Amino acid sequence: MRFILKINISLLFFFGTGGFITAFAQEIQTAQIKKHVYYLASDKLAGRATGSEGAELAAIYIAKQFKKIGLKPPAGQKDYFEPYTFKKSLNPHATEDPNGRAIAGENVVGYLDNGAENTIIVGAHYDHLGTTGEGTSLDANPAGKIHHGADDNASGTAGVIELARYFKNNKLKEPYNFLFVCFSGEELGLIGSKKFCEHPSVDLGKVDYMVNMDMIGRLNAENRLIVSGVGTSPLWVNLLAYIKTDLHIKTDSSGTGPSDYTSFYLKNIPVVAFFTGQHSDYHKPTDVAEKVNYEGEKKVLDYIVQVVEATCTFPKMTFTATKSPNNENRSFKVTMGVMPDYAFDGKGMRVDGVTEGKPAFKAGIKQGDVVLNLNGVEVKDIYSYMDALNHCKKGETVKATVLRGTEQVTLDVTF
């Protein structure tokens, strides 16, 4: 089967990518990406916290872009907005709290009808942390500071808009319909995408796969792009291997992760998610439009176009479940207060950010440290790190061994 698949993909790229993809190529425009990001990450939108005036302005902007491009609202809807409500407690990730205040969120959805039986969903979240940090800011004193969220995730939202423009105007009629969705509530626990999957605009049984873009605006000098979800269908790995690109592709098989594609995977839908990696401005007010690599984002979107067009030469994808860590949805009793580097290739868990005042900060753990052992448990990767963390208790002090440069350092961490 794999040999046949490779032959088919080889023929696709011998005959296809030179013609099917590029003959009518509608160019992704860097200037358009930049325009979207600068507006969405502007002070006027004040960080786009779900339920805020800034989020509403963002939703209106996205809907106007969908209309201008020529997308239609989903069947049976009068407009592009799909509102929902949820309750928020003092825990910013809680969606069920009878004593919490009700918040109105909304997804923005545009439909490209190609008269096909099945549909490809292209999505990204447009919300961010507002001016409070929503409990997940990595700034030492976040209150009152606009968390602009240029990379997270104005970049992905701009990607949805520009991919919609591309597929609407490329003078091809792909054998799939497209549903372009911008979610809110992602920063509060994937709420918007969960609500969408509970009340979808299309029959989820006729969704081929879901494309997710979250933080695609910081392509670095290594041209590294992380592509997750490649284990959710037998097609992904071989298909990606045959796409020509100067991007350095790092793949992850898991269908679950800290973004909206998880909601679709849990509905047995194949997913593929794109991410250019963590950086020091993550969840801080300094994630601003001036720091986005716009030419880099264009390169990422050009690559996604190739991926989507390549899948259009194959029948509807088959879903496969991926290995899910048994701690994936676990509520931890303690936290270190660090941001893991999800793109780290080596042994251990590399620290990409440390929150001031949290146990890791007080213990002297620094950005760039690689945790090798926690509480006597060997840390091989982020999942074994979470296993180790789950065995720690509030109030106790444990040993943490980290690799700092070439030196191993053992520190006392008190939870």
Side-chain angles (χ1 to χ4, degrees):
M1 180 66 181
R2 180 171 295 179
F3 178 69
I4 294 173
L5 179 60
K6 286 184 177 181
I7 291 176
N8 287 339
I9 295 177
S10 296
L11 290 174
L12 162 67
F13 284 93
F14 183 78
F15 295 108
T17 56
F20 185 64
I21 293 178
T22 61
F24 304 104
Q26 161 77 14
E27 185 77 13
I28 297 289
Q29 298 290 333
T30 304
Q32 289 290 331
I33 301 170
K34 190 172 185 178
K35 181 186 78 170
H36 304 319
V37 172
Y38 264 82
Y39 177 77
L40 293 168
S42 65
D43 287 355
K44 180 180 179 180
L45 271 63
R48 310 183 307 279
T50 299
S52 70
E53 181 180 349
E56 178 64 19
L57 290 174
I60 292 170
Y61 177 86
I62 296 163
K64 285 182 177 179
Q65 294 300 316
F66 283 175
K67 183 175 182 180
K68 184 177 179 181
I69 290 166
L71 301 184
K72 303 297 183 183
Q77 294 184 197
K78 64 180 180 179
D79 57 33
Y80 302 96
F81 304 107
E82 294 186 357
Y84 61 86
T85 58
F86 66 100
K87 291 183 178 180
K88 179 183 176 185
S89 70
L90 294 176
N91 174 0
H93 294 286
T95 60
E96 298 291 339
D97 178 17
N99 299 315
R101 61 187 182 93
I103 292 181
E106 59 186 345
N107 300 323
V108 188
V109 185
Y111 188 55
L112 175 54
D113 187 357
N114 284 329
E117 181 178 359
N118 297 307
T119 298
I120 294 169
I121 295 179
V122 179
H125 75 91
Y126 69 89
D127 66 297
H128 195 53
L129 306 184
T131 57
T132 66
E134 295 286 8
T136 59
S137 174
L138 293 178
D139 187 80
N141 299 290
K145 298 177 183 177
I146 296 175
H147 289 65
H148 298 87
D151 185 30
D152 185 15
N153 189 33
S155 67
T157 305
V160 172
I161 296 170
E162 289 311 299
L163 288 177
R165 188 189 313 280
Y166 177 92
F167 287 109
K168 180 67 174 67
N169 298 318
N170 66 349
K171 303 186 186 301
L172 290 172
K173 191 173 183 180
E174 289 83 5
Y176 289 96
N177 309 311
F178 288 91
L179 195 72
F180 297 93
V181 190
C182 292
F183 306 103
S184 63
E186 190 270 356
E187 300 288 5
L188 302 177
L190 314 186
I191 295 171
S193 56
K194 289 176 183 176
K195 294 287 187 179
F196 176 89
C197 287
E198 290 169 2
H199 306 284
S201 308
V202 294
D203 181 353
L204 294 184
K206 293 186 176 181
V207 172
D208 189 27
Y209 60 91
M210 188 267 182
V211 175
N212 191 73
M213 292 170 286
D214 197 343
M215 297 176 62
I216 58 169
R218 291 290 192 96
L219 190 69
N220 61 19
E222 298 174 353
N223 274 344
R224 183 177 63 180
L225 176 66
I226 297 94
V227 183
S228 299
V230 301
T232 62
S233 177
L235 180 64
W236 284 130
V237 172
N238 285 325
L239 186 147
L240 294 177
Y242 277 88
I243 293 181
K244 294 181 179 179
T245 179
D246 64 351
L247 292 169
H248 175 205
I249 305 298
K250 179 184 182 297
T251 59
D252 175 20
S253 64
S254 179
T256 60
S259 194
D260 292 303
Y261 62 96
T262 298
S263 299
F264 291 84
Y265 170 81
L266 295 176
K267 294 293 184 179
N268 295 336
I269 295 172
V271 298
V272 61
F274 300 89
F275 169 54
T276 53
Q278 296 282 2
H279 48 78
S280 59
D281 298 305
Y282 174 76
H283 275 208
K284 293 180 181 178
T286 50
D287 180 11
V288 294
E290 290 80 5
K291 294 184 179 182
V292 170
N293 178 356
Y294 294 100
E295 289 296 333
E297 177 160 348
K298 178 189 183 313
K299 188 180 294 187
V300 171
L301 294 177
D302 285 339
Y303 178 76
I304 295 173
V305 166
Q306 291 187 73
V307 172
V308 173
E309 293 286 21
T311 64
C312 286
T313 66
F314 291 92
K316 186 174 183 290
M317 284 193 180
T318 300
F319 172 79
T320 53
T322 62
K323 182 179 180 181
S324 298
N326 57 15
N327 48 35
E328 207 159 47
N329 296 312
R330 183 179 294 157
S331 296
F332 294 104
K333 299 174 183 177
V334 297
T335 178
M336 286 262 284
V338 300
M339 172 55 59
D341 181 355
Y342 291 99
F344 181 61
D345 285 320
K347 180 181 177 181
M349 190 281 291
R350 184 181 182 276
V351 176
D352 218 7
V354 182
T355 303
E356 186 173 342
K358 296 294 184 179
F361 179 86
K362 292 178 180 179
I365 292 176
K366 301 178 180 180
Q367 182 181 19
D369 285 352
V370 179
V371 179
L372 301 177
N373 192 289
L374 179 65
N375 196 22
V377 178
E378 181 183 6
V379 175
K380 299 178 180 178
D381 51 27
I382 189 171
Y383 300 130
S384 55
Y385 162 74
M386 290 189 288
D387 272 331
L389 189 64
N390 189 59
H391 289 90
C392 298
K393 299 177 182 178
K394 188 174 181 178
E396 74 174 342
T397 299
V398 303
K399 299 287 184 182
T401 300
V402 302
L403 182 65
R404 182 172 296 164
T406 59
E407 180 184 3
Q408 286 195 15
V409 180
T410 299
L411 303 165
D412 291 326
V413 180
T414 301
F415 293 102

